[in-house]
Amino acid sequence: MASLEENLIFSIEKFQGPLDLLLHLIRKEEMDIFDIPVIRLVEQYESYLQKMRDLNLSIAAEYIYMLSVLLNIKAKMLIKGKSEEKEDDPRTPLVLKLMEYEKIKKLADELKEIYTIWGGTYSREEKEEILFIEDVNIYQIVEAFNNILKKLKLREKPSFISVKRPSIKEMMVSLLNFLPKNKKPFPFYDFLLTLKSGLEVITAFLSMLELIRLGSIKYLIKDGKDEIYLIYLKDLPKDLIFGEYS
Amino acid sequence: MELKERISILEALLLVSPKPLKINQVMEICQDGDQKGWEEALSFLEKHFNEEHNGIMLQRVATGIRLITKPQMEEYVKSFYQKNLKHNFSRAAFEVLAIIAYNQPITIPEINAIRGISSGGVIKTLLEKKMIKITGRKNVVGKPFLFGTTEEFLIRFGLNSLKDLPKIEEFNALEAE
């Protein structure tokens, strides 16, 4: 008996959340999804959670939330008694969710099958020189900047606090002057090394974003290394009003 | 341009192209806009590579064409590279990918609502593996990011376009009951 229990318990971890667990229980107990015996389902569900607790597994908040949803439905059904009208059946929203989730599970299985076949086909590899990701998302650029900050921290030495607060305007000009004009990617980190304080680094980051927005530079992220590279495109527009940046 | 010529051009470009080759691109390079003619050359090549003894095949993928090793060759390619190039996605990853593929563009809260559990970690993996990308922001409170699938997704799953995803109808029938 113990081994059977253990098997049950070990299977808990393979569930992809409370909906998955509920579907499993409904199928296992051969319940009719359109007429779920809520009381039995709640019992089963609770005993699963109890087993998880006994094993000291941490239970995700979503499982507890689902329990409260189930109890709510159970309570409503007890008050209402057996009603024939399907429309105000308190189980309906949950059933719809379960069915939608089951659909996704099937589609996920199909995708997995396709991937098993086509994920293992290979074409000419992209050339080594193509090192940069151009289609960068926000997570990558933030992560890249975080890595830079970490790297900078390692070499930070105590120094005099600079009294002068750098302005974004000045920083934009000096960053743009710093970049090589041959349109080759240049590591942003190398520019940051010339700066003295954390405040200047942050200002430089903001200036970089501003220059990107104005189209004066382009940024790339080195694949796998999360390093920001910048490419000089053109000078700042002459009629740019600096008053916007303080 | 003659059929023979078109065939050899396509074959040459297929060999060197690191991305799915678009016919439009070929037509532009050759200054030859005879779509039917190119299609003819394409089906010739398709048949040509479809012999049983061929180890490579021509695949129509992501609205382009490319030469790939046949699925049956996976094991040998793997041994040759001495590493597994294929990323093993988790079940959760396939679920999230299915949700995004069929409902794009979609936000993380909407994905979580369908799965009934938080999906942040999986989203990050899928972004890293370039299966999905941020396509914009939804105009609701908090302006959450919208996610959609990428060209890389189509390539990795051997799909020509999103229309080639497994059909959803048979499941809808169940819902109508």
Side-chain angles (χ1 to χ4, degrees), chain A residues 3 52 67 95 137 144 158 197 244:
Chain A
S3 71
M52 286 165 93
L67 181 61
V95 171
N137 62 54
S197 67
E244 293 173 38

Side-chain angles (χ1 to χ4, degrees), chain A residues 16 18-20 62 97 101 105-107 110-111 114-116 118-119 121-125 138-139, chain B residues 15-16 59 66-69 77 81 86-87 91-92 95 102 113-115 118 127 145 156-157 166 171:
Chain A
Q16 304 290 325
L19 290 174
D20 201 15
E62 287 92 345
K97 279 197 106 177
Y101 180 65
K105 266 180 73 173
K106 281 185 190 152
L107 290 171
E110 294 215 30
L111 279 186
I114 296 175
Y115 184 71
T116 312
W118 297 108
T121 61
Y122 304 95
S123 189
R124 160 169 297 278
E125 270 206 276
I138 186 80
Y139 292 112
Chain B
L15 179 72
V16 295
Q59 185 193 35
R66 56 171 205 156
L67 285 179
I68 54 165
T69 59
V77 180
Y81 277 111
K86 187 173 173 181
H87 184 74
R91 226 188 98 193
E95 281 187 19
Y102 287 90
I114 295 175
R115 292 188 67 228
S118 137
L127 275 172
F145 287 123
R156 282 290 105 214
F157 285 77
F171 304 121

Side-chain angles (χ1 to χ4, degrees), chain A residues 218-229:
Chain A
K218 195 171 126 179
Y219 66 95
L220 297 162
I221 287 191
K222 205 171 187 178
D223 205 355
K225 295 243 173 77
D226 290 329
E227 282 174 58
I228 302 176
Y229 278 71

Side-chain angles (χ1 to χ4, degrees), chain A residues 7-35:
Chain A
N7 280 341
L8 274 178
I9 291 157
F10 278 122
S11 65
I12 286 172
E13 283 181 63
K14 74 171 196 251
F15 292 116
Q16 304 290 325
L19 290 174
D20 201 15
L21 173 55
L22 282 179
L23 276 178
H24 168 79
L25 292 174
I26 289 168
R27 297 285 169 239
K28 195 181 65 125
E29 300 288 311
E30 292 176 353
M31 299 174 187
D32 177 4
I33 194 161
F34 297 106
D35 187 19

Side-chain angles (χ1 to χ4, degrees), chain A residues 32-78:
Chain A
D32 177 4
I33 194 161
F34 297 106
D35 187 19
I36 297 173
V38 180
I39 296 177
R40 224 169 92 216
L41 187 61
V42 172
E43 274 168 16
Q44 292 272 336
Y45 188 82
E46 274 192 301
S47 77
Y48 254 85
L49 292 197
Q50 192 51 51
K51 276 172 199 149
M52 286 165 93
R53 278 193 206 98
D54 292 346
L55 263 185
N56 284 330
L57 291 174
S58 63
I59 300 172
E62 287 92 345
Y63 285 93
I64 310 290
Y65 170 74
M66 184 52 75
L67 181 61
S68 73
V69 170
L70 287 172
L71 290 173
N72 190 349
I73 295 171
K74 183 177 149 187
K76 275 188 186 157
M77 298 219 15
L78 286 175

Side-chain angles (χ1 to χ4, degrees), chain A residues 158-220:
Chain A
S159 64
F160 292 105
I161 299 158
S162 64
V163 188
K164 197 172 164 289
R165 188 169 152 263
S167 83
I168 291 183
K169 165 188 154 187
E170 287 161 356
M171 196 59 87
M172 279 165 69
V173 174
S174 54
L175 174 55
L176 205 56
N177 288 337
F178 199 80
L179 293 177
K181 301 288 177 282
N182 59 9
K183 308 210 168 176
K184 288 246 173 72
F186 189 82
F188 183 46
Y189 180 72
D190 287 11
F191 174 71
L192 295 181
L193 283 178
T194 66
L195 304 177
K196 288 182 210 77
S197 67
L199 188 60
E200 280 186 327
V201 171
I202 301 298
T203 312
F205 185 67
L206 294 176
S207 314
M208 178 191 80
L209 294 178
E210 197 55 35
L211 285 167
I212 292 166
R213 187 181 71 84
L214 291 166
S216 284
I217 56 171
K218 195 171 126 179
Y219 66 95
L220 297 162

